[in-house]
Amino acid sequence: AQRVTQPEKLLSVFKGAPVELKCNYSYSGSPELFWYVQYSRQRLQLLLRHISRESIKGFTADLNKGETSFHLKKPFAQEEDSAMYYCGDTGANSKLTFGKGITLSVRP
Amino acid sequence: GAGVSQTPSNKVTEKGKYVELRCDPISGHTALYWYRQSLGQGPEFLIYFQGTGAADDSGLPNDRFFAVRPEGSVSTLKIQRTERGDSAVYLCASSSLWREGANEQFFGPGTRLTVL
């Protein structure tokens, strides 16, 4: 079965500090990795996906098949980045397997 | 346009009762998903519909849980003989599998179910 691991529950940084949210996945042949974000009182929404290779809101994530990782990074955190972040992997039938999520808190 | 909507937003019921949770997907989205999110956990897959049929129901925890999508649009998740352990936020998502950028799932606001 697919598994997505987010080893940390909380990351607290000061505004302007770099951020790295860790995500590891179990090998599934052809992983399709996503990061979803949930801001306070809002619904879960897609942040980025690995096949797009794009930067959204300054965030990037690189798929590392050797380490089976898909860490989310941002060089300079902003207060509005404070949210819950979930890493996910899509298997057959497009069902998402999510990690437990991490709370990012960016202090002023 | 309108996003995925779910009703009710909150549902409190007593142990042993039957509940129905409704999901209205984005118009034209052929794929519909149900997830359950318990406190401190990520969303957990329950069932996936492609059109009217359940393509994958491997995440349903037991036979008390059932979901339908009779016309390929609105879906209802039904829980019989509710138990306290069923308390969670039930999320619905929809996606279009026929466009570039497919597989992005658009989530509803969820229904918070509390079983007393």
Side-chain angles (χ1 to χ4, degrees):
Chain A
Q2 283 174 281
R3 200 167 61 198
V4 175
T5 303
Q6 294 180 254
E8 298 154 337
K9 285 190 174 181
L10 171 67
L11 179 63
S12 184
V13 301
F14 285 107
K15 176 182 170 182
V19 165
E20 182 179 67
L21 307 182
K22 291 183 168 55
C23 173
N24 288 89
Y25 63 93
S26 60
Y27 178 71
S28 62
S30 299
E32 190 167 331
L33 279 300
F34 298 81
W35 277 97
Y36 277 78
V37 60
Q38 189 166 27
Y39 300 102
S40 180
R41 297 191 185 89
Q42 294 187 27
R43 60 187 66 189
L44 201 58
Q45 58 186 281
L46 178 68
L47 180 62
L48 56 79
R49 49 190 300 201
H50 89 270
I51 65 170
S52 300
R53 296 179 175 270
E54 57 193 344
S55 172
I56 303 292
K57 298 183 179 181
F59 284 97
T60 58
D62 292 319
L63 180 63
N64 185 324
K65 291 188 176 182
E67 296 182 357
T68 60
S69 69
F70 188 58
H71 303 328
L72 184 68
K73 299 178 184 180
K74 184 168 183 176
F76 308 105
Q78 303 299 313
E79 288 180 66
E80 55 266 30
D81 296 329
S82 295
M84 194 79 185
Y85 291 80
Y86 294 94
C87 182
D89 183 11
T90 299
N93 291 333
S94 302
K95 69 181 186 185
L96 273 167
T97 298
F98 286 98
K100 291 187 177 183
I102 181 170
T103 300
L104 174 63
S105 173
V106 182
R107 294 169 285 170
Chain B
V4 178
S5 62
Q6 292 185 247
T7 54
S9 55
N10 277 285
K11 176 71 177 178
V12 180
T13 190
E14 292 179 344
K15 180 174 178 290
K17 299 289 188 184
Y18 167 83
V19 296
E20 289 190 352
L21 311 179
R22 177 188 167 108
C23 172
D24 276 273
I26 292 172
S27 178
H29 278 189
T30 56
L32 185 146
Y33 311 80
W34 283 100
Y35 295 86
R36 177 168 71 173
Q37 187 170 22
S38 302
L39 197 61
Q41 305 292 318
E44 180 185 21
F45 170 80
L46 295 176
I47 185 170
Y48 154 65
F49 287 90
Q50 180 60 261
T52 60
D56 185 345
D57 65 358
S58 61
L60 295 178
N62 51 59
D63 61 6
R64 295 187 298 106
F65 288 76
F66 189 72
V68 295
R69 195 186 184 199
E71 297 178 357
S73 178
V74 171
S75 176
T76 305
L77 178 66
K78 307 180 181 192
I79 310 175
Q80 298 177 321
R81 305 183 302 281
T82 51
E83 300 177 357
R84 292 196 180 89
D86 298 336
S87 297
V89 175
Y90 289 82
L91 295 170
C92 177
S94 70
S95 75
S96 168
L97 297 183
W98 312 112
R99 294 185 301 107
E100 187 63 34
N103 290 344
E104 175 181 355
Q105 295 184 21
F106 296 84
F107 282 82
T111 293
R112 182 176 298 278
L113 175 66
T114 303
V115 182
L116 302 177

